[in-house]
Amino acid sequence: MKRIGLVLGAGGLTGQAFHAGVLAGLAEGVGWDADAAALIVGTSAGAGVGTYLRSGLSATDYAAMLAREPMSDGGAELVSRLGPSGDWSTPTLPRSWPKPLHPKVVARLLTEPHRVRPEALLGISFPPGRIDTETWAASLRALTGATWPSGRLWICSVRTDDARRVAFGRAGAPRTDVATAVAASSAIPGYFAPVEIEGHRYVDGGVHSPTNADIVRDEELDLVVVCSPMSTSSNAPFRGVSYAARLHFRRRLGQEMRKLRNAGIPVVAFQPSGEDQEAMGMQAMDSARNAAVVEQAKATTLRRLAEGRHAHHLALLAA
């Protein structure tokens, strides 16, 4: 069997819907079940999607769940185990000022400034968010329990002590349950409160990179499939103020993909088209757009497959 790596990037609730549409399109177009990936790497929105996949929910059922369409019996039974839906929007924690940079961050800035990403430095400097991630992590934990999934799953976050990326589930990483890891990976600075694990605080892994694709460069993989909701496809037209950020994230992903290719690992990336971006809108936490995003991202993926893009590499998914 071919060893496929799947990288699922950040992007909020509409990013999750984009993942669902792309993966459902791959399931229909090439017959690939995303949970068959040898390794899944998830960041923020992608951490949640990866956890659902590793918990046994198919990409097709996940897309149906977000689009509020009928699922398979098995998918419906699995989703029924989720706890009550959490509150994503109501601040409940007291307001607080940002803390001074930890001495370890200062030391890194003095000794290896080129290794401290400006985005990560900004992310850990934000005032702590006032929404407790546990309000929705508890819902996921009712499904996942206290054990880590049997399939390989790495969940990326950033430690505020030193602004370093940490991949929970990877050898040597701090131990925690998968729902807590997803919460840490999704703790958007200034929006969600940081998550404490083994005495250290963690924030959204997207402040290091929206995709973190380069983390798999030392793995023995035949292909890496990247789904990147926050960047933009090459032919998407300019669309408002968000385009500059999407272009920056596209360039960041390009750097990561070059690292993989230099390591001998082929890469295929799915990034939002102009139509996908229009469906996603400007509010990443707008769940009302989920159904439209799933439908549009799936249609775009099927069109790209029909056009034969990446046909040689994607043939590995059906092998």
Side-chain angles (χ1 to χ4, degrees):
M1 293 182 62
K2 298 300 180 181
R3 298 160 298 182
I4 309 298
L6 175 62
V7 174
L8 301 169
L13 299 182
T14 58
Q16 289 185 342
F18 179 77
H19 288 314
V22 170
L23 297 179
L26 289 173
E28 181 175 323
V30 298
W32 184 62
D33 179 2
D35 185 44
L39 170 63
I40 297 177
V41 175
T43 299
S44 198
V49 178
T51 298
Y52 277 114
L53 294 173
R54 286 306 199 215
S55 297
L57 191 66
S58 70
T60 302
D61 275 334
Y62 184 67
M65 180 182 76
L66 293 188
R68 298 186 180 279
E69 296 177 350
M71 293 181 284
S72 70
D73 291 344
E77 190 280 327
L78 190 147
V79 169
S80 71
R81 301 181 210 164
L82 290 168
S85 180
D87 186 348
W88 297 82
S89 58
T90 305
T92 59
L93 301 175
R95 193 183 304 276
S96 60
W97 293 100
K99 294 184 177 181
L101 290 177
H102 193 280
K104 289 183 179 179
V105 177
V106 176
R108 288 192 70 202
L109 289 171
L110 293 174
T111 59
E112 48 179 18
H114 60 289
R115 294 186 179 276
V116 182
R117 291 195 170 178
E119 302 98 317
L121 190 62
L122 179 64
I124 66 173
S125 301
F126 260 70
R130 298 180 58 211
I131 301 175
D132 189 354
T133 57
E134 186 58 27
T135 59
W136 53 264
S139 172
L140 181 60
R141 193 174 293 110
L143 168 65
T144 60
T147 60
W148 201 264
S150 58
R152 296 179 74 202
L153 173 66
W154 295 355
I155 294 179
C156 297
S157 186
V158 169
R159 187 167 48 214
T160 62
D161 287 0
D162 53 12
R164 291 185 186 276
R165 175 175 64 189
V166 173
F168 296 106
R170 190 183 188 186
R175 301 276 307 253
T176 188
D177 66 277
V178 68
T180 300
V182 172
S185 182
S186 306
I188 303 170
Y191 189 86
F192 288 122
V195 174
E196 185 170 317
I197 298 172
E198 292 188 352
H200 300 280
R201 300 195 312 164
Y202 293 86
V203 295
D204 196 312
V207 303
H208 180 88
S209 163
T211 45
N212 289 295
D214 59 322
I215 201 170
V216 305
R217 64 184 179 274
D218 294 326
E219 299 298 303
E220 295 184 358
L221 298 170
D222 299 300
L223 174 69
V224 170
V225 176
V226 180
C227 189
S228 175
M230 293 185 68
S231 56
T232 179
S233 63
S234 60
N235 58 357
F238 174 86
R239 290 190 182 276
V241 295
S242 67
Y243 186 80
R246 285 188 174 277
L247 188 60
H248 171 70
F249 296 142
R250 175 180 173 82
R251 290 169 176 163
R252 175 73 76 192
L253 175 57
Q255 294 169 352
E256 295 174 358
M257 291 171 64
R258 280 192 291 275
K259 290 181 180 180
L260 297 185
R261 288 170 177 150
N262 288 341
I265 304 174
V267 192
V268 173
F270 291 87
Q271 304 177 79
S273 66
E275 294 85 357
D276 297 335
Q277 292 174 39
E278 185 173 356
M280 296 168 80
M282 298 289 291
Q283 298 295 329
M285 302 303 286
D286 185 2
S287 62
R289 291 181 173 268
N290 280 353
V293 175
V294 170
E295 180 181 3
Q296 180 57 56
K298 180 179 178 181
T300 299
T301 301
L302 290 173
R303 185 183 73 245
R304 289 174 174 173
L305 295 176
E307 292 170 352
R309 301 189 194 182
H310 315 298
H312 173 69
H313 289 152
L314 291 176
L316 293 174
L317 301 182

